[in-house]
Amino acid sequence: MKTPKLTINKKLLLSYLGMALLTVTASAYAVISLQNLNRLAYVITGQDYVILETSKKMMAAIFAQENTEKKSLIFKDPSFANIFLTRSRELKNGIADITKYRISGLTTALSQLSALQDQYDALFQKELALIQENRLQEASLLSEQEGKAIIENMANLVRAMGKKAEQDIDRHMSSFKEEGMKASRITI
């Protein structure tokens, strides 16, 4: 069988169709790459950065609680209980905010942090009761031994969460850079 002879018009049409197919393919790849970059940017700004900032606020709340606890021992003023409970709620709100993201590496740390916060709240209530009974030495001893250990454990957990968020930001920024470079090389 004889193949039909290609005229100049048919050759031009085939070459334009080939270029159009190449352009559509490059455009589709560019759109897919931009979607991947957009997803990475969202994870960085909408998750990693939020977790990092929340962990910083949680650390501030932990130290404010500890400070309030010490002041209540010194001044023996029951009004410090309200300040302590406010800081406790701030920490619990931070835990709830991070829990929303359902990050597998943080689930255990968040549940441990929540349990430690509950222990610290109960410890503070014991200290207040001892202060009201004028048993300051026992309240101070409770604060120095159990309270200090709980605060250190809570601070370590929050530091680890912040460090993980920083590592995730670095990892996602690296992926963002690699994806962007690959997409620009292939598209151009």
Side-chain angles (χ1 to χ4, degrees):
M1 184 162 149
K2 210 175 185 188
T3 58
K5 192 171 184 182
L6 293 176
T7 63
I8 289 199
N9 287 341
K10 288 181 183 179
K11 287 179 183 177
L12 281 173
L13 179 63
L14 285 175
S15 65
Y16 283 132
L17 286 174
M19 288 190 310
L21 181 64
L22 183 63
T23 302
V24 167
T25 304
S27 297
Y29 180 78
V31 167
I32 291 169
S33 295
L34 285 174
Q35 286 175 338
N36 288 339
L37 291 174
N38 188 39
R39 181 186 49 78
L40 279 172
Y42 176 77
V43 167
I44 292 168
T45 59
Q47 180 176 313
D48 297 337
Y49 183 74
V50 171
I51 290 172
L52 180 62
E53 287 303 308
T54 303
S55 68
K56 288 178 183 178
K57 290 176 186 173
M58 289 167 58
M59 187 64 78
I62 288 170
F63 291 135
Q65 273 185 299
E66 181 183 32
N67 190 18
T68 303
E69 176 199 17
K70 301 302 180 200
K71 284 181 181 179
S72 72
L73 288 170
I74 295 168
F75 295 113
K76 301 164 195 76
D77 186 358
S79 67
F80 283 105
N82 292 332
I83 298 169
F84 183 90
L85 292 175
T86 300
R87 300 298 182 219
S88 177
R89 276 192 300 275
E90 287 175 8
L91 186 65
K92 288 178 182 179
N93 288 341
I95 293 170
D97 289 345
I98 293 176
T99 302
K100 291 177 193 173
Y101 294 103
R102 291 184 170 89
I103 298 172
S104 61
L106 295 180
T107 306
T108 304
L110 289 170
S111 63
Q112 289 174 346
L113 186 61
S114 182
L116 285 170
Q117 180 58 48
D118 291 340
Q119 287 177 11
Y120 196 53
D121 288 346
L123 181 78
F124 183 72
Q125 294 303 321
K126 282 182 192 175
E127 288 175 18
L128 286 178
L130 289 171
I131 290 170
Q132 288 176 349
E133 295 171 4
N134 206 21
R135 295 165 48 193
L136 300 175
Q137 189 70 18
E138 292 177 52
S140 182
L141 189 62
L142 197 60
S143 172
E144 283 301 315
Q145 291 177 348
E146 290 182 44
K148 188 175 183 180
I150 292 171
I151 286 291
E152 286 177 7
N153 288 336
M154 288 174 24
N156 288 337
L157 286 169
V158 172
R159 274 189 212 103
M161 287 189 305
K163 187 172 182 170
K164 182 183 181 335
E166 287 174 348
Q167 290 170 343
D168 287 347
I169 288 171
D170 291 343
R171 184 172 45 83
H172 287 127
M173 288 299 289
S174 257
S175 296
F176 191 88
K177 181 181 176 184
E178 289 173 20
E179 286 277 332
M181 293 297 287
K182 187 170 101 177
S184 66
R185 272 187 252 130
I186 291 176
T187 306
I188 294 174

